[in-house]
Amino acid sequence: MPEYKQFPLSDTAEGLTEADILAWRVKPGDTVTVNQIVVEVETAKAAVELPIPWAGVVTELHVEPGQTVEVGTPILTMDVDPDGKAAPAAAAPAAAESAAAAPAEEEMKPLVGYGSKAAGTTRRARKHPNVALGASDATNATLGASHAPNATLGQPPAQAEPAAPRGGYVPLAKPPVRKLAKDLGVDLHSLTGSADGGVITREDVHRAANGSAAPAVSTVESGYDPATRERRVPIKGVRKATAAAMVQSAYTAPHVTEFLTIDVTPMMELREKLKKSREFSGVKLTPLAFAAKAVCLAAKRTPDVNAVWDEAAQEIVYKDYVHLGIAAATPRGLVVPKIRDADSLSLKELAVALTELTDVAREGKTTPAAMLGGTFTITNVGVFGVDTGTPIINPGESAILAVGAIRDTPWVVDGEIKVRKVMQLSLSFDHRVVDGQQGSEFLADVGALLADPAVAITY
């Protein structure tokens, strides 16, 4: 007989509590293999593709694209024994007992690279949508954020609202609301949600069931209201996480920003020379690579900028490594992936790492793990033609450098005015950790290295 299992939304990075469903890669009736990608979700850190740990046939999708789902919530049901080759029903109790005794990690073991870190981390109990199960099996289904093994279900779950869109329109509603609509015989496709983003609520379903007209709402599914000519977009995913981080930093760390204008003509000349060399053949050597190298060298002379304030322990933590964050603009918002141990890399290695990092970020494929644990950040506002700015420090760090556009500018050289390649730098730092002297020395060192790369041999 069929054996049904439910696939819960896993914790793709330690500490995440929810994710938005972006797109399903499967539909009911599809046959899937172990570790096949079945869904793409967007967490507070990145877009992530999730593989399924079993082979079988998809029987039901519990959530629609656009919905926000808590970690541990079942999002898919599948038949892992569609050919009926499983053990007889009489053996089911023993199998269930054995499954209950197995560690939860064994059930999700094939999900290599996903899930929270080792056990010992406890989470608060979560409320989960009511997934309709066969009456005799409702008490046997094990759900929860701990990803406990799923009990074998004796019959398939009751089918909820079809996941396939009708005419391209997918109604947005949480699983409990979908179940309510099914129980009351209400077609969700005929409703306009009253919640933000056009999400259908329980009240919308009850009004439809009672024959009442839904109240006028200022936002339709697209979020645009022709009457006011305004568009509302729900705050979630990367944008929500970025906003929270920036507010936390701005109102926690006392920011100081300093500015420096430098002549980088020697750096640009060296760049052109290196681009023609055999060693840098095929390497995209940008001014940002020189800035990254300068930051790593200067941080060794002023370790304060690579330290962090630990409020809980009342300590300043100095780090003997540089995990360099590079702010990257993506269609989903700002992300800051890291170059690990950037201080140990050569200029060429940094250039290669920067190219790979930014390409992955712009494709929206940066993993959550790649954005954790930074010690210093560079934001390159120059690519937008901007001269400078007052960047906000990333939480968990103490400084951030903004690199401006390089422009042909009149500059005094040996008493004469000449046209030179000039750029501006701005450094924001946490004044609890970095004093004005240290911040100024660091910025001056970075500027000196960019103005004359030969200075690097003295470090």
Side-chain angles (χ1 to χ4, degrees):
M1 63 185 301
E3 181 182 348
Y4 294 95
K5 287 188 176 181
Q6 294 177 329
F7 177 55
L9 176 65
S10 56
D11 185 354
T12 59
E14 186 175 15
L16 295 180
T17 60
E18 64 182 21
D20 300 326
I21 305 298
L22 290 181
W24 283 104
R25 302 294 178 81
V26 296
K27 61 183 182 300
D30 284 356
T31 299
V32 298
T33 58
V34 174
N35 281 343
Q36 179 178 330
I37 300 299
V38 295
V39 65
E40 183 180 7
V41 303
E42 182 179 30
T43 70
K45 298 182 180 295
V48 180
E49 295 177 328
L50 298 183
I52 192 82
W54 316 293
V57 175
V58 177
T59 59
E60 184 179 3
L61 306 179
H62 298 296
V63 293
E64 301 280 6
Q67 287 186 240
T68 300
V69 183
E70 287 191 340
V71 168
T73 302
I75 59 176
L76 175 152
T77 296
M78 65 181 296
D79 181 2
V80 297
D81 185 29
D83 298 326
K85 297 179 180 179
E97 181 179 353
S98 174
E105 289 78 1
E106 290 298 315
E107 183 70 19
M108 302 298 291
K109 187 175 181 180
L111 284 170
V112 179
Y114 291 92
S116 55
K117 295 186 178 179
T121 301
T122 58
R123 296 183 181 274
R124 63 179 175 83
R126 301 189 183 281
K127 296 180 180 179
H128 297 280
N130 298 320
V131 180
L133 305 176
S136 62
D137 299 304
T139 58
N140 295 329
T142 304
L143 306 177
S146 62
H147 297 174
N150 299 289
T152 300
L153 307 182
Q155 51 184 305
Q159 293 296 313
E161 195 73 26
R166 179 184 301 179
Y169 168 60
V170 178
L172 301 180
K174 295 183 178 180
V177 177
R178 293 183 177 281
K179 182 177 185 301
L180 175 65
K182 178 179 174 61
D183 293 342
L184 297 179
V186 174
D187 182 4
L188 291 178
H189 291 81
S190 65
L191 304 184
T192 298
S194 61
D196 290 343
V199 176
I200 299 172
T201 66
R202 298 178 67 90
E203 290 72 20
D204 295 332
V205 174
H206 281 299
R207 276 192 293 268
N210 295 331
S212 303
V217 293
S218 62
T219 56
V220 293
E221 185 198 3
S222 65
Y224 181 75
D225 181 7
T228 62
R229 294 178 296 172
E230 295 177 346
R231 181 169 61 94
R232 291 178 176 266
V233 178
I235 301 172
K236 56 185 180 179
V238 174
R239 172 59 56 195
K240 182 177 181 180
T242 300
M246 293 299 96
V247 170
Q248 175 191 350
S249 176
Y251 289 94
T252 301
H255 282 55
V256 174
T257 304
E258 295 185 339
F259 306 89
L260 180 65
T261 303
I262 54 176
D263 174 8
V264 294
T265 304
M267 180 196 78
M268 298 301 287
E269 292 173 347
L270 176 61
R271 173 176 175 248
E272 290 303 315
K273 184 183 299 184
L274 291 175
K275 286 170 64 177
K276 297 176 183 177
S277 68
R278 179 181 303 176
E279 182 183 0
F280 282 82
S281 176
V283 176
K284 185 178 180 181
L285 184 58
T286 65
L288 182 59
F290 285 90
K293 187 62 179 178
V295 163
C296 292
L297 291 173
K300 292 182 179 180
R301 288 166 53 117
T302 312
D304 305 78
V305 300
N306 200 51
V308 65
W309 180 277
D310 188 336
E311 181 68 29
Q314 286 295 291
E315 296 173 339
I316 296 176
V317 182
Y318 291 86
K319 302 181 179 182
D320 291 334
Y321 54 90
V322 178
H323 289 345
L324 187 61
I326 304 296
T330 75
R332 292 192 176 95
L334 177 68
V335 297
V336 188
K338 321 299 180 188
I339 299 177
R340 306 291 172 186
D341 297 309
D343 54 318
S344 67
L345 302 181
S346 66
L347 177 63
K348 177 182 177 181
E349 291 169 332
L350 281 171
V352 172
L354 283 168
T355 300
E356 294 175 349
L357 175 148
T358 52
D359 287 347
V360 171
R362 288 178 183 134
E363 291 173 1
K365 297 186 181 298
T366 303
T367 64
M371 291 185 282
L372 300 176
T375 64
F376 188 97
T377 295
I378 298 176
T379 176
N380 184 13
V381 297
V383 296
F384 305 109
V386 174
D387 292 324
T388 189
T390 54
I392 298 178
I393 304 165
N394 277 320
E397 301 175 14
S398 291
I400 179 172
L401 179 74
V403 179
I406 299 175
R407 303 187 186 279
D408 289 336
T409 306
W411 197 263
V412 178
V413 181
D414 298 329
E416 297 182 2
I417 297 178
K418 296 183 178 181
V419 176
R420 306 287 283 183
K421 301 291 185 182
V422 175
M423 73 183 303
Q424 294 187 46
L425 304 174
S426 60
L427 176 74
S428 293
F429 54 87
D430 184 344
H431 216 334
R432 297 174 300 177
V433 180
V434 183
D435 293 333
Q437 176 185 345
Q438 284 77 38
S440 300
E441 290 175 345
F442 173 80
L443 184 57
D445 283 344
V446 172
L449 288 163
L450 294 178
D452 185 4
V455 172
I457 66 175
T458 67
Y459 278 56

